[in-house]
Each structure stands twice: as C-alpha cells, then as structure tokens.
Amino acid sequence: MTKINELYDAKKKTKEEDLASAEYVALTGDHWTSVSNNNYLGVTAHYITKTWKLKSFALTVMKTEEHHFAEVCAQQFQTVAHKWKIEGKITTIGTVSARNMTAAAKLLPYEHMPCIAHMLQRSINMSLSNSGFANVLAKCRKIVGHFRHSAANTTELKAQQAALGQQQEPLIQDMPTRWNSTVEMIKRLNRNQAALKATLDQQNHKLVMLTPPEWDKLQRLSTLLEPCRYVMEILGGEAYISCSVVLPALCHLRQVMKVSEEDPAYVGRFKTIFMEELASRQENTNNAWLKLATALNPRFKDLKSLPKSEREEVWTSLGGMLYEQSPRRSLLTSQDGPPRKKTHLLQMGSDSESDEEVQPDREIHRYRAEPSISMEDCPMQWWAAHSGAHDKLARLASKYLATPASTVPCERLFSVAGHIVQKKRSALHSENVNQLVCLSNWLKDE
C-alpha cells in the first residue's frame, strides 16, 4: 500500500496539472453500493485540451454516509470540485435520472445533463412490457437459463453448433440493468435456432419451445432494437464527443420508429409506445445545451435534426454568447471607469462601431458557410485546423462538446470497483478503494 500511495500521489499531481490547464470541465457522477453495503460516489471529469484532444478520467470514488437527500448529494459534488480546484471551470454535471441526483444537480450552479442512455433504456423497457413481447421473452429467458445453468447442456449445444458448421458461442441472458442485453440475447438465439432445436429434441426437458410465429416475432424485435443498440453504443463512448450526437441520433430513431402499414399490430404498439416514452422523457433533458452542442459540431451544423422553426433561435443564442465575449461588451459591463450609459454615448460616434456590432453575426455567418464534414471525419480535428479562423466559436465548442451524453464513465468505474471490493476484500479501507479504482482508470491508457 505504501507503493500504491506514492504512485497515486504522483499520478494525482499530474491530473491536477492537466485540469489546471483546462478552461472548461464537465463532470459525471453516480452512486454505487459495495458488497459490504458501503455507499460510494464516483465522479469523472471530461474536458478538451488546447490541442483539441478529448480527455476523460476519474476524480474520485469517495465513501459517503448518506446519499438519499439532494442537499447532501450537492454538497458531495462541491467537495470534489473544491478538492480538485475546478469550482469555476465546471460547466455540466451528468447524472442518472434518480430523483435525488436530479434534485442535487438543480441545487448546484451548473447545468444538469441527464443520462440519455438511461432515458433510452427506460423507453425500451416500457415498450417491451406493454406491446406483447413479454411472453415470448419469458420463454427465451427460460431456454437460455436451461443451457447457462448446466455445463452438460452447454456441451451438447456446442456439439450441435459444430455439427452444423456454426461458431461455437454461448447463449446470452438479458438483464434489466445491462443495456442492449435483450437484443444480444435475441440475436444469439436467432443465429442458433437450428442447433437449439436439435439439442432439445435429444433431451428430456419441460421447456416450452418457441413456435414459428414467435420466432418471427423475435426476428422483428431484433430489427426494432438494432437501431437503439447502435445509438446507445455511440452515446456511451469516452474517446469521442457524444453530446452533440444526441439530437441527430434521436431524430434517426424517430424516423425508423414510424409506424407503417406493413407492421403487425404488436410492432405498431411497440413503435407507438416507444415514441411516446421517448418524447415524454426528452422533455426533461437539457435540450438547450444539446442544441448548441449540435450546432458546434461541424458534422451536424446544418441542424437538420431540429424543426426549421427552432434552427435560427440556436444561431441567435450563439451570436449572443459571442457578443458577451467581445471586448466592447466587457467594457460596458465593467465596474470600473465611466458609467455604462455615458460610455455607450461615446461609442455612438465611433467609426468602428458598425464593425464591432456585426462581428458576432459575421463570425456565425462564416462558420455556417463552411462545408459540413462527413461522418467519417473527426470534429476535433476540424476544430484544431479551423480554431484560428473561428477563435471565439472555438472557445464555445470546447465548452459544449466536452460534455458526455451519458453516465457510462461512472458505470465503468463501478465495474472496476466491483472487482476490487469482493467478498474476501469487503473490509478494504475506503481510501484504498478510491486509490485502486482511480489508478486503474488513470493507468489504463499507459
């Protein structure tokens, strides 16, 4: 532990220097309960460097005595920000949709970014439970359990897979808390339909096999869930910007979930419920932040994912922010020097007034006139090459694009913590838990 303490202190100093050079920092946070029933708050930081590299790393996995009250949660976030000296740099705090976390975020002087992946998963769960898929999914889980809980049954299934020339792969059991596990279970069952039937025909079991219409229903469900799986994987990444992808991704889902005349009744119900749930939950997200982030992504700056009536409002907001950054605005709002009204009178006769006044609009216009980049191109590389031409917008881009779309970074911390705080190590000191989890996160890139 002495060596671990020394390594932690050295690496933490490096991380503190990195944060000191960052202009804006976004946080994600969530709570986790260990096997010894201790509660921990995990917090991760996300920022864009001056060389336009997206950086993410853990700040802490700190033990907390109480987390059910919003005031306590808010104080915990403030404690972390104070320890890392980033109180004035924080832009957003991303949390899950738990009531106490949402209320805590609203008490803090930062923007709140609810986890979009959680929002999608809840919409999917509600659609599955109310559209006629519950019975067929229950059968699937029993079939998967029959093989996963018996080594002999698994061996027989692998033998049938080999005989049919298929890849020998185990079945997957879906879990409510594991995103995309349902679609992965369905895809694995569909691929191994013949091997499953051949194996079960040779066994004495009490399982109720799926009928041909139910297999067809599974295939349709797999097609329905595949776009959702793709979107959730995109939103869960840490190595690339994700906040600016939310609105285009949700627009894509709304397109693929439109009910058509060829859809069976149960597919139509699924799509209808999903659209209603998604629309209801999206109202509680930080749509204003998402719109600005989308506009500052050169892939999606045409704002086709927004209604035409809302697009100009986004550019007007950006223009107002550029005006707030202008030197003249700083002069007008300064507490020192002549009163604001008299200063404004002096400026009315200035020859350069017109140039100053239109500068924000001119910069917005120049940025909008730039051609959009393809989906294969990196927005960070684009801004690295064009930040000199759009210096004020570049500052806003580094602020809005750094925010992650989900709390997946915290979920990954807790996965590591679960391996560290095992039953045989349940008495591990909380400070040691924090150092081990943080070091695991900091050293993974090295």
Side-chain angles (χ1 to χ4, degrees), residues 346-359:
L346 292 174
Q347 291 170 347
M348 288 180 63
S350 171
D351 293 334
S352 62
E353 179 185 356
S354 58
D355 295 337
E356 286 287 339
E357 290 296 329
V358 300
Q359 187 172 352

Side-chain angles (χ1 to χ4, degrees), residues 114-133:
C115 179
I116 306 299
H118 274 93
M119 179 189 78
L120 280 177
Q121 184 62 38
R122 291 188 175 186
S123 300
I124 292 171
N125 290 340
M126 291 296 295
S127 304
L128 289 175
S129 59
N130 294 288
S131 57
F133 287 103

Side-chain angles (χ1 to χ4, degrees), residues 35 69 208 227 252 349 357 368:
V35 294
F69 299 101
V208 179
H252 169 69
E357 290 296 329
R368 295 179 67 177

Side-chain angles (χ1 to χ4, degrees), residues 60 72 110 120 136 142 157 168 189 242 254 289 385 389 401 430:
T60 186
V72 177
Y110 315 118
L120 280 177
V136 65
K142 289 182 179 180
L157 176 61
Q168 292 182 323
L189 287 171
S242 57
R254 285 192 290 269
W289 191 279
L401 296 181
S430 59

Side-chain angles (χ1 to χ4, degrees), residues 79-300:
T79 300
V80 175
H82 177 72
K83 286 183 177 180
W84 286 86
K85 302 176 183 178
I86 55 174
E87 300 102 312
K89 299 183 177 184
I90 298 176
T91 56
T92 60
I93 292 185
T95 67
V96 294
S97 301
R99 184 176 302 175
N100 61 327
M101 296 294 285
T102 301
K106 292 180 179 179
L107 293 175
L108 296 168
Y110 315 118
E111 293 282 342
H112 179 220
M113 182 58 65
C115 179
I116 306 299
H118 274 93
M119 179 189 78
L120 280 177
Q121 184 62 38
R122 291 188 175 186
S123 300
I124 292 171
N125 290 340
M126 291 296 295
S127 304
L128 289 175
S129 59
N130 294 288
S131 57
F133 287 103
N135 291 335
V136 65
L137 287 177
K139 286 186 178 181
C140 293
R141 295 183 185 109
K142 289 182 179 180
I143 293 173
V144 173
H146 174 78
F147 288 95
R148 286 183 61 84
H149 298 155
S150 170
N153 293 340
T154 301
T155 301
E156 293 180 17
L157 176 61
K158 289 182 178 180
Q160 290 294 338
Q161 290 170 336
L164 294 171
Q166 298 178 353
Q167 179 183 354
Q168 292 182 323
E169 55 183 2
L171 301 181
I172 294 177
Q173 182 73 69
D174 72 330
M175 298 177 62
T177 57
R178 184 173 296 171
W179 304 338
N180 296 327
S181 59
T182 299
V183 65
E184 295 299 333
M185 177 184 73
I186 293 170
K187 290 166 64 177
R188 196 67 63 92
L189 287 171
N190 281 328
R191 284 202 301 268
N192 293 280
Q193 181 178 348
L196 285 169
K197 188 176 184 304
T199 304
L200 292 175
D201 286 344
Q202 299 176 4
Q203 295 179 350
N204 183 17
H205 61 84
K206 296 182 181 180
L207 293 174
V208 179
M209 276 300 294
L210 299 172
T211 61
E214 288 175 331
W215 282 111
D216 180 67
K217 182 178 286 191
L218 278 187
Q219 185 61 50
R220 291 179 181 272
L221 181 58
S222 176
T223 304
L224 283 172
L225 294 179
E226 184 61 26
C228 299
R229 181 199 64 79
Y230 173 71
V231 168
M232 292 180 72
E233 287 185 356
I234 289 179
L235 300 183
E238 291 184 72
Y240 49 85
I241 59 175
S242 57
C243 184
S244 60
V245 186
V246 172
L247 294 181
L250 296 183
C251 181
H252 169 69
L253 288 181
R254 285 192 290 269
Q255 292 292 328
V256 300
M257 289 294 177
K258 286 184 177 179
V259 180
S260 65
E261 297 180 355
E262 293 79 15
D263 290 333
Y266 58 88
V267 172
R269 286 198 301 273
F270 179 93
K271 290 182 176 180
T272 301
I273 296 172
F274 180 82
M275 293 286 285
E276 293 173 352
E277 289 288 329
L278 189 63
S280 174
R281 298 179 190 279
Q282 189 176 351
E283 292 178 357
N284 299 321
T285 62
N286 196 333
N287 285 292
W289 191 279
L290 295 175
K291 290 176 183 178
L292 293 171
T294 305
L296 292 168
N297 186 331
R299 288 176 178 171
F300 309 115

Side-chain angles (χ1 to χ4, degrees), residues 15-74:
K15 296 301 181 182
E16 288 175 338
E17 292 173 354
D18 292 342
L19 286 180
S21 64
E23 187 173 5
Y24 303 106
V25 179
L27 302 182
T28 63
D30 197 5
H31 284 95
W32 169 73
T33 303
S34 68
V35 294
S36 54
N37 208 28
N38 291 323
N39 186 261
Y40 290 84
L41 171 67
V43 181
T44 60
H46 311 264
Y47 64 96
I48 295 175
T49 66
K50 294 180 180 180
T51 57
W52 290 95
K53 302 293 183 182
L54 182 63
K55 298 291 184 180
S56 303
F57 59 85
L59 294 183
T60 186
V61 178
M62 60 181 287
K63 184 180 178 181
T64 59
E65 299 299 330
E66 183 59 67
H67 69 284
H68 298 293
F69 299 101
E71 294 79 5
V72 177
C73 293

